[in-house]
Amino acid sequence: MTEGLVHIYCGGGKGKTTAALGLALRAAGSGQRVLLLQFLKDGSSSEFVSLSHVPGVEVVPQAKAFGFTWTLSEEEKAQARDYYTGLLEDAFARGGEFGLLVLDEALGACAAGLLEEGRLLALLAGRPEGLEVVLTGRGPSQALLAAADYVTEMRAVKHPYERGVPARLGIEY
C-alpha cells in the first residue's frame, strides 16, 4: 500500500478549497474513495453539492451551522468544538474505508479554537495506513506545518472583493 501523506493548503489567497477539491476529483477519478468534511461553513457551497454526486465521493452533510466565529458566545463555541470534534473523530474512525480525507477549513477551526489542535495532530499521526489527508484554511500552527508532507500557501495578489465585488455563486462559493 502507498504511504498516505498530509497536505496543507493555506494562506490569504483564493483557491485553498478549490485545490483540495481538485485533488478529491483526481483521487475519485483514479478509483479511490474520498471523504469530505467542512468546518466553519454551512455545507451549501456549490462544489460540495456537485461532488456529492460523484461516484466514490462521500460528502458529510453539515447538521449545524454556527455562524461567524467572532459572533459566537462562549457557549456556542463550546457547542461548535463538541460538534467539530465529533465530526473529526468519526472521519478518522472511518478513514480505513477511504484513500483521501479532505478536512476543509480545519486549519481555520483550529486557529479559532473550535477544533482542538492536539487531537487533530494525534489523529493525523495515528491515521490508517495509506490514508491521504488534506487540511485547508488560514493560520496553520508550526506544529501542523511540521506534521504536513506538502504545504502550499495561496497568496492574494489581486481580488475583485477589494473593489467591492461580492462573492459570486459558482465562482467563490
Side-chain angles (χ1 to χ4, degrees):
M1 178 175 279
T2 304
E3 177 184 5
L5 302 177
V6 176
H7 306 242
I8 286 180
Y9 297 121
C10 62
K14 180 183 178 328
K16 297 175 289 291
T17 298
T18 304
L21 299 184
L23 183 58
L25 279 176
R26 177 179 285 162
S30 75
Q32 293 183 55
R33 293 194 62 218
V34 178
L35 182 62
L36 300 172
L37 276 79
Q38 279 187 311
F39 302 88
L40 308 180
K41 296 180 178 176
D42 66 5
S44 65
S45 288
S46 302
E47 65 270 20
F48 283 87
V49 173
S50 295
L51 283 169
S52 68
H53 299 290
V54 173
V57 175
E58 182 177 332
V59 177
V60 175
Q62 291 298 301
K64 182 160 177 60
F66 294 95
F68 294 111
T69 57
W70 58 89
T71 66
L72 300 180
S73 68
E74 288 306 312
E75 182 180 330
E76 291 167 324
K77 287 178 183 178
Q79 290 172 358
R81 267 191 301 278
D82 290 346
Y83 177 73
Y84 290 147
T85 298
L87 283 179
L88 190 67
E89 298 278 349
D90 290 346
F92 277 94
R94 297 183 58 210
E97 303 170 32
F98 298 90
L100 177 64
L101 170 60
V102 176
L103 302 173
D104 186 42
E105 290 297 340
L107 299 173
C110 283
L114 301 181
L115 190 59
E116 205 271 304
E117 182 178 298
R119 186 63 190 135
L120 175 57
L121 286 165
L123 289 167
L124 287 171
R127 70 189 177 280
E129 185 179 346
L131 179 62
E132 203 88 6
V133 180
V134 176
L135 308 166
T136 72
R138 296 172 186 242
S141 69
Q142 287 302 311
L144 284 166
L145 291 171
D149 299 289
Y150 297 89
V151 176
T152 302
E153 184 175 359
M154 311 304 193
R155 182 176 65 88
V157 175
K158 184 178 183 180
H159 196 291
Y161 184 78
E162 296 165 352
R163 64 175 207 269
V165 177
R168 297 166 298 144
L169 179 65
I171 303 300
E172 281 86 20
Y173 68 98

